[in-house]
Amino acid sequence: MNAFMLVVVYLLMDLVWLHSMNSMLYQEAFSRIQNKPMELNRMYGFLAYMVLVFALLKICIPLSNTYSRYRWSAFTLVGFCIYSIFNFTNAAVFEKYSLQLVVVD
């Protein structure tokens, strides 16, 4: 699979996840944390996706090419690290960020 297709598939999978889980997990959690409804800042969302695409193109794909035998392990490990940092940071700074959300996300 070429890099462009990989980026498209990744972004589509993430957007489907966020769209389908938003009402079940995120809206309530972030409303509880902020004491107001969640509002998306599209600029920062776009920047976050650009960093994720950069990590995919500059870390995941080169790692998987170098260690082709462990291709999916490289993607899984980098993804796990990125999302873990995000969720553990949220849990560290937001008192009402639940362990359930850390684990599920």
Side-chain angles (χ1 to χ4, degrees):
M1 184 180 296
N2 68 33
F4 176 77
M5 284 302 298
L6 194 59
V7 167
V8 169
V9 167
Y10 168 75
L11 292 176
L12 286 175
M13 286 174 56
D14 199 48
L15 289 171
V16 166
W17 167 261
L18 289 174
H19 180 71
S20 63
M21 299 305 286
N22 187 39
S23 62
M24 289 176 45
L25 292 174
Y26 305 113
Q27 283 181 340
E28 179 186 338
F30 285 102
S31 292
R32 191 174 56 244
I33 290 167
Q34 300 182 138
N35 294 322
K36 67 177 192 168
M38 181 177 74
E39 294 179 32
L40 178 66
N41 184 318
R42 293 183 193 283
M43 181 187 70
Y44 289 125
F46 175 78
L47 292 173
Y49 275 107
M50 290 301 96
V51 172
L52 289 171
V53 167
F54 177 81
L56 191 64
L57 295 174
K58 298 299 181 182
I59 299 170
C60 291
I61 292 173
L63 269 178
S64 69
N65 289 336
T66 301
Y67 303 102
S68 60
R69 183 173 175 196
Y70 305 104
R71 178 159 295 166
W72 291 111
S73 297
F75 284 104
T76 302
L77 182 61
V78 172
F80 176 78
C81 290
I82 289 170
Y83 285 99
S84 294
I85 291 166
F86 168 77
N87 280 293
F88 287 133
T89 300
N90 282 345
V93 299
F94 298 121
E95 180 181 326
K96 297 178 183 176
Y97 199 85
S98 71
L99 178 61
Q100 176 191 8
L101 190 54
V102 170
V103 172
V104 170
D105 194 38

